[in-house]
mmCIF file of all heavy atoms in Angstrom:
data_model
loop_
_atom_site.group_PDB
_atom_site.id
_atom_site.type_symbol
_atom_site.label_atom_id
_atom_site.label_comp_id
_atom_site.label_asym_id
_atom_site.label_seq_id
_atom_site.Cartn_x
_atom_site.Cartn_y
_atom_site.Cartn_z
ATOM 1 N N GLU A 283 53.817 135.907 35.512
ATOM 2 C CA GLU A 283 55.242 135.739 35.784
ATOM 3 C C GLU A 283 55.916 134.908 34.699
ATOM 4 O O GLU A 283 57.059 135.161 34.331
ATOM 5 C CB GLU A 283 55.434 135.101 37.158
ATOM 6 C CG GLU A 283 54.985 136.020 38.279
ATOM 7 C CD GLU A 283 55.466 135.562 39.637
ATOM 8 O OE1 GLU A 283 55.858 134.393 39.757
ATOM 9 O OE2 GLU A 283 55.440 136.380 40.561
ATOM 10 N N ALA A 284 55.192 133.907 34.187
ATOM 11 C CA ALA A 284 55.749 133.102 33.100
ATOM 12 C C ALA A 284 55.992 133.971 31.877
ATOM 13 O O ALA A 284 56.973 133.776 31.141
ATOM 14 C CB ALA A 284 54.802 131.953 32.754
ATOM 15 N N ALA A 285 55.121 134.957 31.664
ATOM 16 C CA ALA A 285 55.299 135.863 30.526
ATOM 17 C C ALA A 285 56.620 136.608 30.636
ATOM 18 O O ALA A 285 57.259 136.915 29.623
ATOM 19 C CB ALA A 285 54.134 136.851 30.454
ATOM 20 N N GLY A 286 57.039 136.896 31.855
ATOM 21 C CA GLY A 286 58.307 137.582 32.040
ATOM 22 C C GLY A 286 59.513 136.736 31.719
ATOM 23 O O GLY A 286 60.612 137.268 31.523
ATOM 24 N N ASP A 287 59.338 135.413 31.657
ATOM 25 C CA ASP A 287 60.454 134.504 31.364
ATOM 26 C C ASP A 287 60.326 133.824 30.002
ATOM 27 O O ASP A 287 61.031 132.862 29.723
ATOM 28 C CB ASP A 287 60.533 133.415 32.449
ATOM 29 C CG ASP A 287 61.149 133.940 33.738
ATOM 30 O OD1 ASP A 287 61.960 134.880 33.641
ATOM 31 O OD2 ASP A 287 60.825 133.422 34.811
ATOM 32 N N VAL A 288 59.400 134.321 29.174
ATOM 33 C CA VAL A 288 59.130 133.679 27.886
ATOM 34 C C VAL A 288 60.363 133.711 26.979
ATOM 35 O O VAL A 288 61.077 134.714 26.914
ATOM 36 C CB VAL A 288 57.926 134.370 27.193
ATOM 37 C CG1 VAL A 288 57.934 134.146 25.701
ATOM 38 C CG2 VAL A 288 56.628 133.850 27.785
ATOM 39 N N HIS A 289 60.599 132.605 26.287
ATOM 40 C CA HIS A 289 61.698 132.514 25.324
ATOM 41 C C HIS A 289 61.201 132.582 23.887
ATOM 42 O O HIS A 289 61.924 133.028 23.002
ATOM 43 C CB HIS A 289 62.463 131.195 25.500
ATOM 44 C CG HIS A 289 63.043 131.003 26.862
ATOM 45 N ND1 HIS A 289 62.383 130.317 27.872
ATOM 46 C CD2 HIS A 289 64.212 131.415 27.403
ATOM 47 C CE1 HIS A 289 63.131 130.304 28.956
ATOM 48 N NE2 HIS A 289 64.246 130.964 28.706
ATOM 49 N N VAL A 290 59.975 132.096 23.655
ATOM 50 C CA VAL A 290 59.435 132.008 22.293
ATOM 51 C C VAL A 290 58.017 132.567 22.268
ATOM 52 O O VAL A 290 57.205 132.233 23.134
ATOM 53 C CB VAL A 290 59.416 130.544 21.777
ATOM 54 C CG1 VAL A 290 58.892 130.490 20.347
ATOM 55 C CG2 VAL A 290 60.799 129.929 21.864
ATOM 56 N N LEU A 291 57.729 133.429 21.281
ATOM 57 C CA LEU A 291 56.392 133.978 21.084
ATOM 58 C C LEU A 291 55.823 133.473 19.767
ATOM 59 O O LEU A 291 56.433 133.668 18.715
ATOM 60 C CB LEU A 291 56.435 135.506 21.031
ATOM 61 C CG LEU A 291 56.497 136.292 22.338
ATOM 62 C CD1 LEU A 291 56.576 137.770 22.022
ATOM 63 C CD2 LEU A 291 55.304 136.016 23.206
ATOM 64 N N LEU A 292 54.666 132.813 19.824
ATOM 65 C CA LEU A 292 53.955 132.422 18.611
ATOM 66 C C LEU A 292 52.853 133.442 18.361
ATOM 67 O O LEU A 292 51.966 133.613 19.193
ATOM 68 C CB LEU A 292 53.346 131.018 18.756
ATOM 69 C CG LEU A 292 54.210 129.836 18.300
ATOM 70 C CD1 LEU A 292 55.436 129.712 19.194
ATOM 71 C CD2 LEU A 292 53.415 128.537 18.331
ATOM 72 N N LEU A 293 52.933 134.138 17.219
ATOM 73 C CA LEU A 293 51.985 135.199 16.915
ATOM 74 C C LEU A 293 51.277 134.903 15.602
ATOM 75 O O LEU A 293 51.922 134.598 14.596
ATOM 76 C CB LEU A 293 52.692 136.550 16.810
ATOM 77 C CG LEU A 293 53.464 136.993 18.044
ATOM 78 C CD1 LEU A 293 54.953 137.020 17.728
ATOM 79 C CD2 LEU A 293 53.020 138.355 18.509
ATOM 80 N N ASP A 294 49.957 135.010 15.643
ATOM 81 C CA ASP A 294 49.186 134.858 14.422
ATOM 82 C C ASP A 294 49.491 136.025 13.496
ATOM 83 O O ASP A 294 49.620 137.164 13.943
ATOM 84 C CB ASP A 294 47.693 134.821 14.757
ATOM 85 C CG ASP A 294 46.843 134.562 13.532
ATOM 86 O OD1 ASP A 294 47.111 133.578 12.836
ATOM 87 O OD2 ASP A 294 45.925 135.353 13.282
ATOM 88 N N LYS A 295 49.594 135.743 12.189
ATOM 89 C CA LYS A 295 49.914 136.809 11.235
ATOM 90 C C LYS A 295 48.787 137.820 11.139
ATOM 91 O O LYS A 295 48.974 139.016 11.345
ATOM 92 C CB LYS A 295 50.188 136.214 9.854
ATOM 93 C CG LYS A 295 50.576 137.253 8.799
ATOM 94 C CD LYS A 295 50.285 136.783 7.391
ATOM 95 C CE LYS A 295 48.794 136.780 7.121
ATOM 96 N NZ LYS A 295 48.438 136.472 5.732
ATOM 97 N N THR A 296 47.592 137.343 10.829
ATOM 98 C CA THR A 296 46.472 138.225 10.540
ATOM 99 C C THR A 296 45.974 138.902 11.806
ATOM 100 O O THR A 296 45.565 138.250 12.757
ATOM 101 C CB THR A 296 45.320 137.445 9.887
ATOM 102 O OG1 THR A 296 45.813 136.767 8.740
ATOM 103 C CG2 THR A 296 44.198 138.380 9.486
ATOM 104 N N GLY A 297 46.015 140.217 11.810
ATOM 105 C CA GLY A 297 45.527 140.984 12.947
ATOM 106 C C GLY A 297 46.591 141.242 13.994
ATOM 107 O O GLY A 297 46.405 142.095 14.857
ATOM 108 N N THR A 298 47.688 140.514 13.951
ATOM 109 C CA THR A 298 48.762 140.712 14.915
ATOM 110 C C THR A 298 49.945 141.388 14.245
ATOM 111 O O THR A 298 50.348 142.489 14.610
ATOM 112 C CB THR A 298 49.220 139.373 15.516
ATOM 113 O OG1 THR A 298 48.101 138.689 16.030
ATOM 114 C CG2 THR A 298 50.243 139.597 16.611
ATOM 115 N N ILE A 299 50.482 140.712 13.247
ATOM 116 C CA ILE A 299 51.618 141.263 12.510
ATOM 117 C C ILE A 299 51.131 142.168 11.381
ATOM 118 O O ILE A 299 51.719 143.211 11.101
ATOM 119 C CB ILE A 299 52.488 140.117 11.966
ATOM 120 C CG1 ILE A 299 53.103 139.345 13.143
ATOM 121 C CG2 ILE A 299 53.578 140.643 11.042
ATOM 122 C CD1 ILE A 299 53.844 138.099 12.742
ATOM 123 N N THR A 300 50.031 141.776 10.750
ATOM 124 C CA THR A 300 49.426 142.604 9.710
ATOM 125 C C THR A 300 48.114 143.187 10.224
ATOM 126 O O THR A 300 47.646 142.829 11.301
ATOM 127 C CB THR A 300 49.165 141.782 8.433
ATOM 128 O OG1 THR A 300 48.164 140.782 8.718
ATOM 129 C CG2 THR A 300 50.431 141.090 7.963
ATOM 130 N N PHE A 301 47.511 144.063 9.463
ATOM 131 C CA PHE A 301 46.290 144.741 9.905
ATOM 132 C C PHE A 301 45.079 143.822 9.930
ATOM 133 O O PHE A 301 44.066 144.155 10.504
ATOM 134 C CB PHE A 301 45.996 145.944 9.008
ATOM 135 C CG PHE A 301 46.793 147.154 9.382
ATOM 136 C CD1 PHE A 301 47.915 147.517 8.657
ATOM 137 C CD2 PHE A 301 46.444 147.926 10.471
ATOM 138 C CE1 PHE A 301 48.658 148.630 8.995
ATOM 139 C CE2 PHE A 301 47.178 149.049 10.819
ATOM 140 C CZ PHE A 301 48.293 149.405 10.081
ATOM 141 N N GLY A 302 45.144 142.701 9.261
ATOM 142 C CA GLY A 302 44.020 141.769 9.285
ATOM 143 C C GLY A 302 43.169 141.833 8.040
ATOM 144 O O GLY A 302 42.527 140.865 7.666
ATOM 145 N N ASN A 303 43.154 142.970 7.365
ATOM 146 C CA ASN A 303 42.454 143.102 6.095
ATOM 147 C C ASN A 303 43.466 143.565 5.047
ATOM 148 O O ASN A 303 44.267 144.462 5.304
ATOM 149 C CB ASN A 303 41.324 144.130 6.200
ATOM 150 C CG ASN A 303 40.236 143.693 7.159
ATOM 151 O OD1 ASN A 303 39.644 142.649 6.994
ATOM 152 N ND2 ASN A 303 39.995 144.505 8.182
ATOM 153 N N ARG A 304 43.391 142.947 3.873
ATOM 154 C CA ARG A 304 44.329 143.328 2.818
ATOM 155 C C ARG A 304 44.027 144.738 2.343
ATOM 156 O O ARG A 304 42.874 145.124 2.214
ATOM 157 C CB ARG A 304 44.255 142.324 1.668
ATOM 158 C CG ARG A 304 44.599 140.922 2.154
ATOM 159 C CD ARG A 304 44.949 139.972 1.045
ATOM 160 N NE ARG A 304 45.490 138.743 1.613
ATOM 161 C CZ ARG A 304 46.252 137.896 0.947
ATOM 162 N NH1 ARG A 304 46.562 138.133 -0.309
ATOM 163 N NH2 ARG A 304 46.717 136.818 1.527
ATOM 164 N N ARG A 305 45.079 145.486 2.095
ATOM 165 C CA ARG A 305 44.945 146.889 1.727
ATOM 166 C C ARG A 305 45.542 147.159 0.352
ATOM 167 O O ARG A 305 46.455 146.453 -0.083
ATOM 168 C CB ARG A 305 45.624 147.777 2.774
ATOM 169 C CG ARG A 305 44.986 147.692 4.143
ATOM 170 C CD ARG A 305 45.568 148.725 5.073
ATOM 171 N NE ARG A 305 44.816 148.809 6.322
ATOM 172 C CZ ARG A 305 44.954 149.794 7.201
ATOM 173 N NH1 ARG A 305 45.790 150.780 6.970
ATOM 174 N NH2 ARG A 305 44.237 149.801 8.309
ATOM 175 N N CYS A 306 45.024 148.210 -0.271
ATOM 176 C CA CYS A 306 45.524 148.594 -1.587
ATOM 177 C C CYS A 306 46.908 149.208 -1.440
ATOM 178 O O CYS A 306 47.121 150.114 -0.623
ATOM 179 C CB CYS A 306 44.557 149.601 -2.221
ATOM 180 S SG CYS A 306 45.104 150.214 -3.818
ATOM 181 N N SER A 307 47.851 148.714 -2.230
ATOM 182 C CA SER A 307 49.209 149.248 -2.176
ATOM 183 C C SER A 307 49.666 149.837 -3.502
ATOM 184 O O SER A 307 50.623 150.608 -3.538
ATOM 185 C CB SER A 307 50.196 148.154 -1.749
ATOM 186 O OG SER A 307 50.234 147.120 -2.715
ATOM 187 N N ALA A 308 48.988 149.470 -4.609
ATOM 188 C CA ALA A 308 49.397 149.993 -5.924
ATOM 189 C C ALA A 308 48.330 149.678 -6.970
ATOM 190 O O ALA A 308 47.497 148.777 -6.777
ATOM 191 C CB ALA A 308 50.732 149.389 -6.351
ATOM 192 N N LEU A 309 48.345 150.447 -8.078
ATOM 193 C CA LEU A 309 47.505 150.183 -9.252
ATOM 194 C C LEU A 309 48.408 150.050 -10.469
ATOM 195 O O LEU A 309 49.416 150.770 -10.588
ATOM 196 C CB LEU A 309 46.502 151.329 -9.477
ATOM 197 C CG LEU A 309 45.108 151.189 -8.833
ATOM 198 C CD1 LEU A 309 45.208 151.183 -7.323
ATOM 199 C CD2 LEU A 309 44.194 152.320 -9.298
ATOM 200 N N HIS A 310 48.077 149.129 -11.377
ATOM 201 C CA HIS A 310 48.866 148.903 -12.601
ATOM 202 C C HIS A 310 47.927 149.010 -13.795
ATOM 203 O O HIS A 310 46.954 148.258 -13.903
ATOM 204 C CB HIS A 310 49.527 147.522 -12.563
ATOM 205 C CG HIS A 310 50.385 147.304 -11.344
ATOM 206 N ND1 HIS A 310 51.662 147.784 -11.243
ATOM 207 C CD2 HIS A 310 50.124 146.670 -10.160
ATOM 208 C CE1 HIS A 310 52.171 147.443 -10.055
ATOM 209 N NE2 HIS A 310 51.245 146.767 -9.386
ATOM 210 N N LYS A 311 48.227 149.951 -14.694
ATOM 211 C CA LYS A 311 47.332 150.190 -15.828
ATOM 212 C C LYS A 311 47.644 149.262 -16.994
ATOM 213 O O LYS A 311 48.787 148.824 -17.190
ATOM 214 C CB LYS A 311 47.422 151.638 -16.277
ATOM 215 C CG LYS A 311 48.810 152.146 -16.665
ATOM 216 C CD LYS A 311 48.798 153.643 -16.890
ATOM 217 C CE LYS A 311 50.191 154.168 -17.240
ATOM 218 N NZ LYS A 311 50.699 153.646 -18.503
ATOM 219 N N ALA A 312 46.589 148.987 -17.757
ATOM 220 C CA ALA A 312 46.742 148.188 -18.971
ATOM 221 C C ALA A 312 47.283 149.078 -20.088
ATOM 222 O O ALA A 312 47.164 150.315 -20.025
ATOM 223 C CB ALA A 312 45.396 147.593 -19.365
ATOM 224 N N PRO A 313 47.898 148.484 -21.115
ATOM 225 C CA PRO A 313 48.411 149.283 -22.244
ATOM 226 C C PRO A 313 47.298 150.125 -22.871
ATOM 227 O O PRO A 313 46.165 149.670 -23.041
ATOM 228 C CB PRO A 313 48.910 148.213 -23.217
ATOM 229 C CG PRO A 313 49.229 147.034 -22.359
ATOM 230 C CD PRO A 313 48.203 147.052 -21.279
ATOM 231 N N GLY A 314 47.618 151.377 -23.186
ATOM 232 C CA GLY A 314 46.663 152.259 -23.835
ATOM 233 C C GLY A 314 45.715 152.955 -22.882
ATOM 234 O O GLY A 314 44.829 153.698 -23.314
ATOM 235 N N VAL A 315 45.879 152.738 -21.563
ATOM 236 C CA VAL A 315 45.016 153.351 -20.554
ATOM 237 C C VAL A 315 45.828 154.379 -19.776
ATOM 238 O O VAL A 315 46.967 154.119 -19.383
ATOM 239 C CB VAL A 315 44.448 152.291 -19.594
ATOM 240 C CG1 VAL A 315 43.601 152.950 -18.507
ATOM 241 C CG2 VAL A 315 43.628 151.268 -20.352
ATOM 242 N N THR A 316 45.262 155.563 -19.577
ATOM 243 C CA THR A 316 45.967 156.582 -18.802
ATOM 244 C C THR A 316 45.816 156.314 -17.313
ATOM 245 O O THR A 316 44.869 155.656 -16.869
ATOM 246 C CB THR A 316 45.430 157.993 -19.106
ATOM 247 O OG1 THR A 316 44.081 158.086 -18.648
ATOM 248 C CG2 THR A 316 45.482 158.280 -20.606
ATOM 249 N N GLU A 317 46.752 156.851 -16.549
ATOM 250 C CA GLU A 317 46.709 156.672 -15.084
ATOM 251 C C GLU A 317 45.457 157.308 -14.498
ATOM 252 O O GLU A 317 44.814 156.739 -13.607
ATOM 253 C CB GLU A 317 47.957 157.290 -14.454
ATOM 254 C CG GLU A 317 48.052 157.080 -12.947
ATOM 255 C CD GLU A 317 49.349 157.603 -12.358
ATOM 256 O OE1 GLU A 317 50.334 157.758 -13.124
ATOM 257 O OE2 GLU A 317 49.370 157.874 -11.140
ATOM 258 N N GLN A 318 45.078 158.479 -15.028
ATOM 259 C CA GLN A 318 43.883 159.152 -14.526
ATOM 260 C C GLN A 318 42.632 158.334 -14.811
ATOM 261 O O GLN A 318 41.746 158.219 -13.962
ATOM 262 C CB GLN A 318 43.760 160.533 -15.168
ATOM 263 C CG GLN A 318 42.544 161.317 -14.680
ATOM 264 C CD GLN A 318 42.437 162.685 -15.324
ATOM 265 O OE1 GLN A 318 43.332 163.111 -16.061
ATOM 266 N NE2 GLN A 318 41.345 163.390 -15.062
ATOM 267 N N GLU A 319 42.563 157.747 -16.007
ATOM 268 C CA GLU A 319 41.400 156.938 -16.383
ATOM 269 C C GLU A 319 41.262 155.733 -15.458
ATOM 270 O O GLU A 319 40.161 155.425 -14.984
ATOM 271 C CB GLU A 319 41.542 156.480 -17.841
ATOM 272 C CG GLU A 319 40.329 155.729 -18.370
ATOM 273 C CD GLU A 319 40.528 155.283 -19.816
ATOM 274 O OE1 GLU A 319 41.632 155.498 -20.374
ATOM 275 O OE2 GLU A 319 39.584 154.700 -20.380
ATOM 276 N N LEU A 320 42.373 155.048 -15.159
ATOM 277 C CA LEU A 320 42.341 153.888 -14.267
ATOM 278 C C LEU A 320 41.963 154.304 -12.847
ATOM 279 O O LEU A 320 41.113 153.672 -12.204
ATOM 280 C CB LEU A 320 43.705 153.193 -14.262
ATOM 281 C CG LEU A 320 43.888 152.072 -13.232
ATOM 282 C CD1 LEU A 320 42.893 150.944 -13.464
ATOM 283 C CD2 LEU A 320 45.322 151.538 -13.264
#
């Protein structure tokens, strides 16, 4: 019943707001390297 009257929620970031494990979002190539090679 208290949950029904809650005003503030404290949520842990890892596993709650985010997936919990860092994920690949992009690759950046060094000069002179092709995208396929990287």
Side-chain angles (χ1 to χ4, degrees):
E283 293 194 343
D287 283 332
V288 158
H289 301 94
V290 182
L291 279 178
L292 269 66
L293 302 113
D294 184 53
K295 182 204 72 174
T296 305
T298 307
I299 295 173
T300 66
F301 279 102
N303 295 302
R304 300 197 170 202
R305 296 188 170 193
C306 177
S307 64
L309 268 65
H310 304 279
K311 57 189 178 64
V315 177
T316 66
E317 184 175 339
Q318 181 180 354
E319 185 181 4
L320 172 61

